[in-house]
C-alpha cells in the first residue's frame, strides 16, 4: 500500500512553469506529509514512490545514477531520510533497458551498481520497468536485478513489469519464475483515468489467462496497476468499483492522486478500513471471477479464517437502471450444514442473519457500480 | 427544459416488484413534486415527460390510446391536471409506426385521433418516435402529425426523432423540412449513462454533418438527448462537461435522473443559472466546434447582445494530468478595436479585465473536463 506518482503526475519535469506539479522532491515530500496528516498512513498506506523522471539525464562520473539536481536538489538519500522521518518508506523507479520509458538512463550494464546505489540511498522499494530492452533478456535480467538487490543486504520490495511486456507481445509469462524473483508484478496494460481502462483491467484479471491468480500470496502479488480514485475520470460508483475490486484482487493498492485536493468521498473510499482489511487478508488469496450473468460479474475471494469470504457483484452495464439480481446460496459459495451472516463489505453492516445454502439473495447493483458482501460462517 | 423518464427509468413496468421505479403516475407525480420543491422549476425546468411505456397494450373500444390502467389509474388527463397544478407542463411519448419501440400501440393510421386525444388530455409536449415504421414514410408522417397537432388548436411542443432514424440509416436529413414541422429533433444516437456516449454525441455535433447547427433557433432546436447528470456513469468533471456542452449546443436540457436521491453537486450543476442563461440565450444560435488542438476541442457560441460569446475548452484525454493550453485572442474570436472582459462561465467570476485581440490566454483543463469562458465586450 502506498502512493505512486505516475498515473496522476506522469513525466512532468517543467518545474519552472509548473513548480507544484513537476516530479520533484517537493512533490514527493508534500505527498508524504499528506499521507500522514490526512490519515492515509494510519489507514495502512506506507510507501511513497516516485515513478519515472526523477533522474538526471546522465549518470555521474562514478557511473552512478543521480537525481535531477534542479528538481531533487537534496538528492534521493535526503529524500529517503525525510520520508523515513515521517514513518513512511520510499520507492523509486528504474528500467531494465538502456533507457527508461521516458528516456532517462536505464540499468542495462549497471544492474549491480544501481542495486547498490538504491541500497546506499536507503530506498525501500524498486519499481523495475522494461522499456528499451530485449524481451528475450527478461528471463535473465529480472532475476539478476533481484539477486543484486538481495545481495545489498537491504530489504527492498521489488516490483517487476516483466509479465506486462510479455503479455503485450503475446507471450505467456512464466509466473513460477516471476514469483521467485519479484514481490509484485504488473500483469497488464497501464491504467488510465477512465472507466474503460479500469473495466478492461478487471476483465483481464477475470479472464485470468495463465491462471495467474493462483500465484498471489504473501511475498508475491499480481498488480492491476494504480488506483485512480480521486482523479478525474471515474464517477462515485465507478470509484467504489475500483477500490472494491482492487481489494478483491489482493492488489498492492497504490494510489496515484493529488492528495492536496482530493474529494472527501474519494478519500473516505481510499481509507475504507473494511475494504482494506479484505485487501490485506493474511492468507492473501486473490479473488477470481466465478461467473457472469448478463451484465453482472460475480467475483469471490476466500478470507481468513477459512469459511469467510468476500463476494462482489459488478454491473458492467451503463443502461440507466440499477440491475436486480437474485442469486442462490450455492452461487455465493455457501456450504451445506453451515450458517452464515452476510455483511455489506463497505460498512460491515449485517444484511442477512444466519442464512443457509438454500436461501436466495437479491442484490440491486447500479450501472457501472458494485455491491459487495463479506460472508462469515456463524 | 424539463425532465424525461427514459434514460434513467427506461421501460420498467413492474409495479408489483418495483413500485417506486416503474413508469407510473406515481413516479411522474413525484418527479413533478420534486421539480418544484427542490428548485428545478425556479431554475427553469418546466416540462415533466413520460417516455415510452405509459400505455395500455391495446387501444380502447373507441380506438383511442389509453394509459395502462394499473400504473396510471387516474389517467393522463388527471395527471396533466396534477402537473399543471404544480405550474409545470406534461409531456408524453408516441411513435409514428404501428408500435412504439417497446411494443405499445403506435400512431400509424391514428395520427389525427391521437393528436386530438393528446389535446383532449391537455398534454403540452409530444415526443414522436420512429420505431416500427418505414423510413420512406417519415417525410410524410412527421409533417402530418405536426399538421394534426396544430389542428387541435392546443399549443403542444412537438419533438421528432425523424433525423435520428435517417442518420442511423445513412440518409442525410432535410433539416429545412424538419424545422418546418418540429420544435426540436433528435439528431443522433440515444445517450447512455457513460462518458463514451456523451463524448460520442458531442463529437457528432462537433462534426456537424449537414451543417445542422445552422438550423437551431427560436422555435426549433437540435437535441443531443437527455442529460445524465446525477446518474451513475459520469465523474464530477464529466458532469460539468455535459451540462456546459449542452448549454453551448442550445439543447432542450431534459434531465433524466432520480430527483429523489440526486447528489448535491449534480443538483447544483443542473440548476447552474449561468449555464442555463447561456443555454437559453434569446438569439438561440447553436455553438459549434471551431477547432481541435491535440486532445482539446475549442467550441464557441455567439450570445446576446452581439459581441458576447461563450467559449468552451473540452479536454477529451484521460491521460492523468490536466492539460495547459495557451490560446490567442484571435483563436477565441476576439476582434480588433474591441476590449473584452472574460468571465468563468460556471460562476460569472471575472478572470480577465479589458483584454484585446493580441493578448494570450492560458487555460488548464482537467482530463475529461472543461473550462468555459463567457466573453463580453467592454
Amino acid at each position: 500500500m502506498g502512493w505512486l506518482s505516475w498515473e496522476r503526475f506522469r513525466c512532468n519535469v517543467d518545474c519552472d512553469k509548473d513548480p507544484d506539479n513537476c516530479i520533484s522532491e517537493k512533490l514527493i515530500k508534500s505527498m508524504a506529509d499528506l499521507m500522514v496528516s490526512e490519515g492515509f498512513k494510519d489507514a495502512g498506506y506506507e510507501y511513497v514512490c516516485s515513478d519515472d523522471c526523477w533522474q538526471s539525464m546522465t549518470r555521474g562520473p562514478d557511473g552512478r545514477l543521480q537525481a535531477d539536481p534542479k528538481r531533487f536538489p537534496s538528492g534521493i538519500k535526503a529524500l529517503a531520510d525525510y520520508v523515513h522521518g515521517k514513518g513512511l518508506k520510499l520507492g523509486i523507479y528504474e528500467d531494465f533497458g538502456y533507457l527508461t520509458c521516458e528516456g532517462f538512463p536505464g540499468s542495462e550494464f549497471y544492474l549491480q551498481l544501481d542495486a547498490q546505489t538504491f541500497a546506499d540511498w536507503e530506498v525501500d522499494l524498486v519499481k523495475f520497468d522494461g522499456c528499451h530492452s530485449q524481451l528475450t533478456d527478461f528471463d535473465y535480467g529480472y532475476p539478476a536485478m533481484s539477486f543484486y538487490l538481495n545481495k545489498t543486504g537491504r530489504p527492498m520490495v521489488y516490483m517487476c513489469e516483466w509479465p506486462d511486456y510479455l503479455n503485450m507481445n503475446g507471450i505467456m509469462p512464466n509466473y513460477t519464475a516471476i514469483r521467485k524473483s519479484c514481490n509484485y508484478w504488473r500483469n497488464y496494460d497501464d491504467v488510465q483515468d477512465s472507466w474503460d481502462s479500469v473495466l478492461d483491467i478487471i476483465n483481464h484479471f477475470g479472464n485470468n489467462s495463465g491462471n495467474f491468480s493462483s500465484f498471489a500470496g504473501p511475498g508475491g502479488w499480481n498488480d492491476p496497476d494504480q488506483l485512480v480514485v480521486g482523479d478525474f475520470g471515474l464517477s462515485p460508483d465507478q470509484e467504489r468499483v475500483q477500490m472494491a475490486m482492487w481489494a478483491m484482487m489482493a492488489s498492492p493498492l497504490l494510489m496515484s492522486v493529488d492528495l492536496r485536493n482530493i474529494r472527501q468521498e474519494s478519500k473516505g473510499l481510499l481509507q475504507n478500513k473494511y475494504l482494506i482489511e479484505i485487501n490485506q487478508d493474511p492468507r492473501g488469496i486473490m479473488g477470481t471471477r466465478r461467473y457472469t450473468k448478463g451484465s453482472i460479474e460475480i467475483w469471490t475471494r476466500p478470507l481468513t479464517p477459512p469459511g469467510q469470504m468476500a463476494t462482489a457483484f459488478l454491473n458492467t452495464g451503463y443502461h440507466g437502471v440499477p440491475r436486480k439480481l437474485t442469486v442462490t446460496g450455492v452461487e455465493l459459495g455457501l456450504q451445506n450444514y453451515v450458517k452464515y451472516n452476510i455483511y455489506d463489505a463497505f460498512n460491515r453492516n449485517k444484511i442477512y442473519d444466519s442464512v443457509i445454502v438454500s436461501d436466495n439473495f437479491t442484490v440491486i447493483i447500479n450501472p457501472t457500480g458494485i455491491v459487495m458482501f463479506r460472508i462469515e460462517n456463524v
Side-chain angles (χ1 to χ4, degrees), chain A residues 320-343:
Chain A
V321 180
R323 175 102 191 278
K324 189 186 276 192
L325 182 76
T326 299
V327 292
T328 66
V330 174
E331 287 174 309
L332 287 184
L334 306 192
Q335 292 168 23
N336 267 323
Y337 315 117
V338 183
K339 286 189 172 177
Y340 295 88
N341 292 327
I342 297 185
Y343 303 84

Short mmCIF file of all heavy atoms in Angstrom, two decimals, chain A residues 320-343:
data_model
loop_
_atom_site.label_atom_id
_atom_site.label_comp_id
_atom_site.label_asym_id
_atom_site.label_seq_id
_atom_site.Cartn_x
_atom_site.Cartn_y
_atom_site.Cartn_z
N GLY A 320 -28.68 2.93 -17.70
CA GLY A 320 -29.59 3.76 -16.93
C GLY A 320 -30.09 3.23 -15.60
O GLY A 320 -30.07 3.92 -14.59
N VAL A 321 -30.55 2.00 -15.59
CA VAL A 321 -31.33 1.48 -14.46
C VAL A 321 -30.51 0.49 -13.62
O VAL A 321 -29.87 -0.38 -14.18
CB VAL A 321 -32.58 0.76 -15.00
CG1 VAL A 321 -33.42 0.21 -13.88
CG2 VAL A 321 -33.39 1.69 -15.89
N PRO A 322 -30.53 0.64 -12.30
CA PRO A 322 -29.89 -0.38 -11.45
C PRO A 322 -30.45 -1.76 -11.77
O PRO A 322 -31.64 -1.90 -12.06
CB PRO A 322 -30.25 0.07 -10.04
CG PRO A 322 -30.45 1.55 -10.16
CD PRO A 322 -31.07 1.76 -11.51
N ARG A 323 -29.60 -2.75 -11.72
CA ARG A 323 -29.99 -4.11 -12.12
C ARG A 323 -30.26 -4.91 -10.86
O ARG A 323 -29.50 -4.88 -9.90
CB ARG A 323 -28.83 -4.70 -12.91
CG ARG A 323 -28.96 -6.11 -13.31
CD ARG A 323 -29.36 -6.29 -14.78
NE ARG A 323 -29.72 -7.68 -14.95
CZ ARG A 323 -28.82 -8.64 -15.14
NH1 ARG A 323 -27.55 -8.35 -15.27
NH2 ARG A 323 -29.21 -9.90 -15.22
N LYS A 324 -31.38 -5.65 -10.87
CA LYS A 324 -31.73 -6.50 -9.73
C LYS A 324 -31.34 -7.93 -10.07
O LYS A 324 -31.63 -8.42 -11.17
CB LYS A 324 -33.23 -6.43 -9.48
CG LYS A 324 -33.66 -7.10 -8.19
CD LYS A 324 -35.18 -7.11 -8.05
CE LYS A 324 -35.71 -5.83 -7.47
NZ LYS A 324 -37.12 -5.92 -7.06
N LEU A 325 -30.68 -8.60 -9.15
CA LEU A 325 -30.22 -9.96 -9.40
C LEU A 325 -30.53 -10.81 -8.18
O LEU A 325 -30.30 -10.39 -7.05
CB LEU A 325 -28.70 -9.94 -9.63
CG LEU A 325 -28.03 -11.28 -9.95
CD1 LEU A 325 -28.31 -11.67 -11.40
CD2 LEU A 325 -26.52 -11.15 -9.74
N THR A 326 -31.09 -11.98 -8.43
CA THR A 326 -31.32 -12.92 -7.33
C THR A 326 -30.37 -14.09 -7.50
O THR A 326 -30.31 -14.70 -8.57
CB THR A 326 -32.78 -13.40 -7.30
OG1 THR A 326 -33.61 -12.25 -7.10
CG2 THR A 326 -33.01 -14.38 -6.17
N VAL A 327 -29.59 -14.36 -6.46
CA VAL A 327 -28.63 -15.45 -6.53
C VAL A 327 -28.92 -16.45 -5.42
O VAL A 327 -29.50 -16.11 -4.38
CB VAL A 327 -27.17 -14.95 -6.39
CG1 VAL A 327 -26.77 -14.12 -7.59
CG2 VAL A 327 -26.98 -14.17 -5.11
N THR A 328 -28.50 -17.67 -5.64
CA THR A 328 -28.71 -18.72 -4.65
C THR A 328 -27.51 -18.79 -3.72
O THR A 328 -26.42 -18.31 -4.04
CB THR A 328 -28.86 -20.08 -5.34
OG1 THR A 328 -27.60 -20.40 -5.96
CG2 THR A 328 -29.95 -20.04 -6.41
N GLY A 329 -27.72 -19.42 -2.58
CA GLY A 329 -26.61 -19.64 -1.65
C GLY A 329 -25.49 -20.44 -2.31
O GLY A 329 -24.31 -20.19 -2.06
N VAL A 330 -25.87 -21.39 -3.15
CA VAL A 330 -24.86 -22.19 -3.85
C VAL A 330 -23.99 -21.28 -4.72
O VAL A 330 -22.76 -21.38 -4.73
CB VAL A 330 -25.54 -23.26 -4.75
CG1 VAL A 330 -24.50 -24.00 -5.60
CG2 VAL A 330 -26.34 -24.23 -3.89
N GLU A 331 -24.66 -20.35 -5.42
CA GLU A 331 -23.90 -19.44 -6.28
C GLU A 331 -22.95 -18.54 -5.49
O GLU A 331 -21.90 -18.15 -5.97
CB GLU A 331 -24.86 -18.58 -7.12
CG GLU A 331 -25.55 -19.37 -8.23
CD GLU A 331 -26.60 -18.55 -8.96
OE1 GLU A 331 -27.47 -17.96 -8.28
OE2 GLU A 331 -26.58 -18.53 -10.19
N LEU A 332 -23.34 -18.22 -4.25
CA LEU A 332 -22.45 -17.42 -3.40
C LEU A 332 -21.29 -18.25 -2.85
O LEU A 332 -20.36 -17.69 -2.27
CB LEU A 332 -23.23 -16.85 -2.21
CG LEU A 332 -24.20 -15.71 -2.47
CD1 LEU A 332 -24.80 -15.23 -1.16
CD2 LEU A 332 -23.50 -14.57 -3.18
N GLY A 333 -21.38 -19.55 -2.99
CA GLY A 333 -20.33 -20.41 -2.45
C GLY A 333 -20.64 -20.89 -1.03
O GLY A 333 -19.75 -21.41 -0.34
N LEU A 334 -21.89 -20.71 -0.57
CA LEU A 334 -22.23 -21.21 0.77
C LEU A 334 -22.25 -22.74 0.75
O LEU A 334 -22.49 -23.37 -0.27
CB LEU A 334 -23.62 -20.70 1.19
CG LEU A 334 -23.87 -19.20 1.14
CD1 LEU A 334 -25.18 -18.86 1.86
CD2 LEU A 334 -22.73 -18.41 1.74
N GLN A 335 -21.99 -23.31 1.92
CA GLN A 335 -21.92 -24.77 2.01
C GLN A 335 -23.05 -25.32 2.87
O GLN A 335 -23.60 -24.64 3.72
CB GLN A 335 -20.57 -25.19 2.59
CG GLN A 335 -19.44 -24.88 1.64
CD GLN A 335 -18.08 -25.00 2.30
OE1 GLN A 335 -17.95 -25.71 3.30
NE2 GLN A 335 -17.10 -24.32 1.77
N ASN A 336 -23.35 -26.60 2.62
CA ASN A 336 -24.34 -27.31 3.43
C ASN A 336 -23.93 -27.35 4.90
O ASN A 336 -22.75 -27.30 5.23
CB ASN A 336 -24.46 -28.76 2.94
CG ASN A 336 -25.57 -28.88 1.91
OD1 ASN A 336 -26.61 -28.23 2.03
ND2 ASN A 336 -25.34 -29.70 0.91
N TYR A 337 -24.91 -27.45 5.77
CA TYR A 337 -24.67 -27.66 7.20
C TYR A 337 -23.93 -26.50 7.85
O TYR A 337 -23.38 -26.64 8.95
CB TYR A 337 -23.90 -28.98 7.47
CG TYR A 337 -24.42 -30.12 6.67
CD1 TYR A 337 -23.63 -30.75 5.71
CD2 TYR A 337 -25.73 -30.57 6.86
CE1 TYR A 337 -24.13 -31.81 4.97
CE2 TYR A 337 -26.24 -31.63 6.11
CZ TYR A 337 -25.43 -32.24 5.16
OH TYR A 337 -25.94 -33.27 4.42
N VAL A 338 -23.85 -25.36 7.17
CA VAL A 338 -23.20 -24.20 7.78
C VAL A 338 -24.17 -23.02 7.69
O VAL A 338 -24.87 -22.87 6.69
CB VAL A 338 -21.88 -23.84 7.05
CG1 VAL A 338 -21.20 -22.67 7.75
CG2 VAL A 338 -20.95 -25.04 6.99
N LYS A 339 -24.22 -22.24 8.76
CA LYS A 339 -24.99 -21.00 8.72
C LYS A 339 -24.06 -19.81 8.58
O LYS A 339 -22.94 -19.82 9.13
CB LYS A 339 -25.83 -20.85 9.99
CG LYS A 339 -27.01 -21.79 10.02
CD LYS A 339 -27.92 -21.47 11.19
CE LYS A 339 -29.19 -22.29 11.09
NZ LYS A 339 -30.07 -22.05 12.25
N TYR A 340 -24.54 -18.81 7.86
CA TYR A 340 -23.69 -17.65 7.57
C TYR A 340 -24.38 -16.35 7.95
O TYR A 340 -25.59 -16.22 7.85
CB TYR A 340 -23.38 -17.59 6.07
CG TYR A 340 -22.55 -18.73 5.55
CD1 TYR A 340 -23.15 -19.91 5.10
CD2 TYR A 340 -21.16 -18.64 5.50
CE1 TYR A 340 -22.38 -20.95 4.61
CE2 TYR A 340 -20.39 -19.68 5.01
CZ TYR A 340 -21.01 -20.84 4.57
OH TYR A 340 -20.25 -21.87 4.09
N ASN A 341 -23.57 -15.38 8.36
CA ASN A 341 -24.02 -13.99 8.42
C ASN A 341 -23.41 -13.25 7.22
O ASN A 341 -22.26 -13.50 6.86
CB ASN A 341 -23.56 -13.32 9.71
CG ASN A 341 -24.26 -13.90 10.93
OD1 ASN A 341 -25.42 -14.31 10.84
ND2 ASN A 341 -23.54 -13.95 12.04
N ILE A 342 -24.23 -12.39 6.65
CA ILE A 342 -23.74 -11.65 5.49
C ILE A 342 -23.73 -10.15 5.81
O ILE A 342 -24.72 -9.60 6.28
CB ILE A 342 -24.62 -11.93 4.25
CG1 ILE A 342 -24.52 -13.43 3.91
CG2 ILE A 342 -24.19 -11.07 3.07
CD1 ILE A 342 -25.25 -13.84 2.64
N TYR A 343 -22.59 -9.53 5.56
CA TYR A 343 -22.38 -8.11 5.84
C TYR A 343 -22.15 -7.34 4.55
O TYR A 343 -21.61 -7.88 3.58
CB TYR A 343 -21.15 -7.92 6.73
CG TYR A 343 -21.22 -8.67 8.03
CD1 TYR A 343 -20.85 -10.02 8.10
CD2 TYR A 343 -21.66 -8.04 9.20
CE1 TYR A 343 -20.92 -10.72 9.29
CE2 TYR A 343 -21.74 -8.73 10.39
CZ TYR A 343 -21.37 -10.07 10.44
OH TYR A 343 -21.46 -10.77 11.62
#
